[in-house]
Amino acid sequence: MASNGYSLTAPGSIGLTKPYPSLPFVTPEMFGAVGDNIADDSAAIQAAIDTGYDVWFYSKFYSTGSTKITHNHDGQVFYGSGVSLTFNGTGIAFSSALNSSGIAPQNCVFHDVNIISLNAHTTGWLAWTNYGRYYNCTSQIPGSNSTGWVIYCDLATTPGSYYNNFYNCDATCKVGLIVGVINQRPVDFTPTAIGGPNANTWTGGRCSSYDLPFRIAGSGNTINDITTENVASGSYAVELDNAFSGR
C-alpha cells in the first residue's frame, strides 16, 4: 500500500508479459518521495521500482542517501524526464540485479536518467542487463577512484551483458577540474574469465575530464561517434574484437 492510498499488485513472475496495471505507471511520490534533494527518497524510489511497473520520475533532484538503488524486473521502463538521483555513499549508486532465478533483467528501457555520485570510490551506473536500451542517461562522478558506467558481465554461466544499446549517454568526470581528483574512468566494459560483455552498442554521447581510459572488453561491442574531451591520459582502450570510432 502506497503512502497516498494507492494499492498495487506487482507482477507475480519475472517475464516480458506484465498484467495490465490499474495505473499506466507508478511514481516515487506514490510511495512518499519528496524530491527536494534533501530528504532521503531511496526507500520510496526502491518501492516504486519493486512493483515491477514502469516508473515515471518528475524532473527533480531526488536524494538516495547512501543506498544503492536496484532493479531486476524484465521489460520495465524508466521515464526519467531529466531526473537526477543524488548518491551520497560509496560503491554503486544504481544497479541491475539478478532475479530469483539468477538471471539478469532483459528488455529494460531507461530515458533521461542522471546519476550524480558525490563521493570518491563510487560507480554511477552498473548496467547488468540484456537487450536493454539507455537513452540520454548520464553519470557524474566528482570523486577519485570512481567509474561512471560499468557494463557488467554475467558471472554465472553465460557471458553478458549482451545486446544492450546506449544512445547519447554521457560520463562527466572531474580530473583537472577539481584539485586532487585522480583515477576516474568514464566507461568500463568489465571483462571476466568467462568473457563478455558482448554485442553491445554505444552510439554518441560525451566522456569528459578523466585520466583512466574508456575500456571496451569482451567481444563484438561497437562504440560509435563518442566525443571525448579534457582527457588527462589516453582516451580509450580496446580489448579483443571490438570496434571503436570517436572524436
Side-chain angles (χ1 to χ4, degrees):
M1 177 70 71
S3 62
N4 65 357
Y6 285 106
S7 180
L8 299 173
T9 301
S13 61
I14 301 296
L16 299 182
T17 302
K18 293 189 285 190
Y20 190 80
S22 57
L23 297 172
F25 51 78
V26 296
T27 71
E29 280 73 11
M30 293 170 61
F31 299 87
V34 178
D36 62 357
N37 209 30
I38 298 173
D40 185 345
D41 289 328
S42 58
I45 293 170
Q46 191 64 64
I49 293 171
D50 288 347
T51 65
Y53 293 120
D54 298 342
V55 180
W56 183 282
F57 292 94
Y58 293 99
S59 182
K60 296 180 177 180
F61 285 80
Y62 296 84
S63 172
T64 61
S66 59
T67 302
K68 176 175 67 175
I69 302 298
T70 63
H71 74 97
N72 67 354
H73 289 275
D74 287 359
Q76 199 166 26
V77 180
F78 295 80
Y79 299 97
S81 307
V83 66
S84 293
L85 304 182
T86 304
F87 177 63
N88 197 23
T90 58
I92 300 165
F94 191 95
S95 177
S96 312
L98 301 184
N99 61 29
S100 59
S101 299
I103 300 172
Q106 301 189 53
N107 293 283
C108 297
V109 182
F110 302 85
H111 293 273
D112 301 288
V113 177
N114 181 35
I115 304 297
I116 302 174
S117 304
L118 299 180
N119 300 318
H121 302 282
T122 59
T123 293
W125 289 80
L126 190 148
W128 192 355
T129 54
N130 301 318
Y131 302 98
R133 285 167 288 163
Y134 299 75
Y135 298 95
N136 304 310
C137 294
T138 69
S139 179
Q140 299 182 38
I141 49 169
S144 296
N145 304 303
S146 298
T147 302
W149 293 78
V150 170
I151 317 304
Y152 203 51
C153 181
D154 184 344
L155 299 180
T157 58
T158 305
S161 301
Y162 51 81
Y163 297 109
N164 295 292
N165 288 278
F166 301 83
Y167 301 96
N168 295 317
C169 293
D170 298 342
T172 302
C173 306
K174 296 296 183 180
V175 172
L177 302 179
I178 298 179
V179 174
V181 173
I182 58 172
N183 297 333
Q184 291 193 323
R185 190 187 301 275
V187 180
D188 189 358
F189 283 57
T190 303
T192 70
I194 63 171
N198 300 320
N200 300 284
T201 300
W202 189 298
T203 302
R206 184 182 303 272
C207 295
S208 62
S209 304
Y210 56 92
D211 58 349
L212 296 178
F214 190 124
R215 180 165 61 168
I216 317 165
S219 177
N221 300 295
T222 303
I223 313 300
N224 298 313
D225 298 321
I226 193 166
T227 298
T228 60
E229 59 186 13
N230 300 326
V231 179
S233 61
S235 60
Y236 58 85
V238 179
E239 303 177 12
L240 305 177
D241 57 337
N242 299 281
F244 183 101
S245 66
R247 62 184 185 272

